[in-house]
């Protein structure tokens, strides 16, 4: 009789034990959500995050607060999110740097890019550009390469940090062309861009959205872009594929990640809110005006994209024998 009583008690308690989780997922969110940008303000990651944050918050009924947490080429901010409670209240802006390039080159990275996050959505794909300060003695790709080869080590390039996509793509460019340029890493694209515009560094491999305003003002000169085809905003600038460097012709991505263990119901809500934000005409206009392409894929598609990109950069690191300084 006692055994039967215990069994009945367990059967009754089992569904009740699940109710708080279900109710919690249904009620979520009940407080503001933090969206961590793992780079300093002013870069493309920051631009995309702030463009969608307000609309995502409006759909969810809570404020989405953008927090910049720079350092380590994006590692510090990404790791902070990986170690956060999996409750949907702390999200990360995912970039190629934090999910593929940096993990590929840094064996001591404190998180596993494949297993420590739940991919939610890829918001946008963004072209990259090599741009130089107007004082640089070249205005086109052919002359650019000739100048670098003539004076190896004389010029420097800025990046958003060691191991970022800007760093690895420029290193790949160097290895394929035989040019030598000194790497100057910064704590984000914003500070790197500021010093390039100021002429303290001669060039930068940057995401187009953050550099484009300075290109339009003739404060930076675009040399070559990574994009499927020439861009409407830069019709006279060739792609890396056009100049014979197809391996470098890779676009950046900007998406959302949550810590592993985040309930699927919460992930679905964030995904739906982000999709709604990307359907807003003003948001689309602001993102597309930077030269970026709206993506808005599924969590499964974004997970496959991250894995594929990681494999590409891992291969680059091995083939080009790249290592952290």
């Amino acid at each position: 009789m006692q055994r039967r009583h215990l069994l009945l008690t367990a059967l009754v308690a089992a569904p009740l034990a699940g109710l708080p989780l279900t109710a919690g997922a249904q009620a979520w969110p009940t407080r503001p959500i933090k969206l961590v940008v793992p780079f300093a303000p002013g870069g493309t990651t920051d631009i995309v995050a702030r463009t969608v944050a307000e609309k995502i918050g409006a759909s969810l009924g809570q404020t989405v607060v953008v927090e910049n947490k720079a350092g380590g080429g994006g590692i510090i901010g990404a790791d902070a999110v990986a170690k956060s409670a999996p409750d949907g209240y702390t999200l990360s802006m995912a970039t190629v740097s934090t999910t593929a390039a940096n993990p590929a080159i840094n064996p001591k990275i404190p998180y596993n890019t494949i297993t420590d996050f739940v991919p939610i959505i890829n918001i946008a794909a963004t072209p990259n550009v090599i741009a130089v300060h107007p004082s640089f003695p070249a205005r086109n790709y052919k002359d650019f390469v000739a100048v670098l080869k003539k004076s190896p080590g004389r010029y420097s390039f800025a990046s958003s940090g060691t191991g970022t996509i800007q760093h690895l793509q420029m290193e790949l460019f160097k290895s394929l062309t035989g040019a030598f340029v000194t790497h100057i890493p910064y704590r984000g694209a914003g500070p790197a861009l500021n010093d390039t515009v100021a002429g303290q560094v001669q060039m930068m491999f940057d995401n187009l959205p953050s550099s484009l305003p300075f290109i339009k003002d003739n404060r930076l000169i675009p040399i070559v872009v990574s994009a499927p085809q020439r861009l409407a905003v830069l019709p006279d600038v060739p792609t890396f594929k056009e100049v014979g460097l197809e391996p470098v012709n890779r676009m950046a991505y900007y998406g959302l990640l949550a810590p592993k263990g985040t309930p699927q119901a919460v992930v679905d809500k964030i995904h739906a809110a982000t999709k709604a934000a990307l359907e807003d005409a003003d948001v689309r206009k602001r993102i597309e005006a930077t030269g970026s392409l709206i993506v808005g894929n599924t969590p499964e598609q974004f997970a496959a994209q991250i894995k594929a990109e990681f494999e590409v950069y891992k291969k680059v690191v091995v083939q080009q024998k790249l290592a952290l300084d």
Side-chain angles (χ1 to χ4, degrees), residues 207-283:
N207 304 132
L208 182 62
S210 48
S211 286
L212 189 58
F214 299 100
I215 291 173
K216 289 181 176 180
D217 288 344
N218 296 315
R219 299 173 69 186
L220 288 177
I221 309 299
I223 300 297
V224 59
V225 299
S226 60
Q229 58 273 325
R230 290 202 182 196
L231 302 170
V233 292
L234 298 175
D236 299 323
V237 181
T239 68
F240 280 102
K241 183 177 181 179
E242 284 184 72
V243 300
L245 299 178
E246 188 167 1
V248 195
N249 203 49
R250 310 190 67 81
M251 297 178 74
Y253 56 68
Y254 300 91
L256 297 180
L257 298 177
K260 71 175 180 181
T262 300
Q264 186 61 47
V266 172
V267 171
D268 291 342
K269 281 191 174 184
I270 299 170
H271 182 271
T274 309
K275 284 282 286 185
L278 295 178
E279 291 169 1
D280 181 86
D282 182 57
V283 169

Side-chain angles (χ1 to χ4, degrees), residues 12-248:
V12 172
L16 293 176
L19 285 178
L21 292 176
T22 303
Q26 289 175 345
W28 186 94
T30 58
R31 54 187 166 90
I33 299 159
K34 180 168 64 177
L35 175 55
V36 176
V37 172
F39 300 102
T44 304
T45 315
D46 188 60
I47 293 172
V48 173
R50 294 180 188 279
T51 298
V52 300
E54 183 178 353
K55 294 296 182 181
I56 293 174
S59 292
L60 294 174
Q62 288 289 340
T63 303
V64 175
V65 180
V66 176
E67 177 181 299
N68 296 88
K69 200 174 186 67
I75 292 177
I76 293 176
D79 186 51
V81 175
K83 291 177 171 55
S84 296
D87 53 16
Y89 290 102
T90 304
L91 307 175
S92 174
M93 282 296 295
T95 70
V96 175
S97 295
T98 58
T99 62
N102 225 324
I105 196 175
N106 186 354
K108 296 182 180 179
I109 201 163
Y111 57 84
N112 185 308
T113 190
I114 305 300
T115 62
D116 288 349
F117 297 99
V118 177
I120 299 174
I121 189 171
N122 181 6
I123 295 171
T126 304
N128 298 307
V129 60
I130 290 181
V132 299
H133 187 266
S135 64
F136 190 83
R139 290 294 183 275
N140 59 63
Y141 179 77
K142 182 179 179 180
D143 293 345
F144 174 71
V145 174
V147 169
L148 295 183
K149 288 187 174 181
K150 183 178 179 180
S151 305
R154 178 179 178 181
Y155 299 100
S156 302
F157 77 94
S159 83
S160 56
T162 300
T164 61
I165 181 177
Q166 293 91 341
H167 174 210
L168 288 196
Q169 282 194 306
M170 191 66 175
E171 292 294 342
L172 180 55
F173 163 81
K174 288 163 55 177
S175 69
L176 294 174
T177 59
F180 179 73
V181 194
T182 302
H183 177 218
I184 309 295
Y186 285 78
R187 289 174 59 86
L193 185 59
N194 288 340
D195 275 9
T196 306
V197 171
Q200 297 182 37
V201 186
Q202 293 79 28
M203 69 194 72
M204 182 175 180
F205 198 122
D206 191 25
N207 304 132
L208 182 62
S210 48
S211 286
L212 189 58
F214 299 100
I215 291 173
K216 289 181 176 180
D217 288 344
N218 296 315
R219 299 173 69 186
L220 288 177
I221 309 299
I223 300 297
V224 59
V225 299
S226 60
Q229 58 273 325
R230 290 202 182 196
L231 302 170
V233 292
L234 298 175
D236 299 323
V237 181
T239 68
F240 280 102
K241 183 177 181 179
E242 284 184 72
V243 300
L245 299 178
E246 188 167 1
V248 195

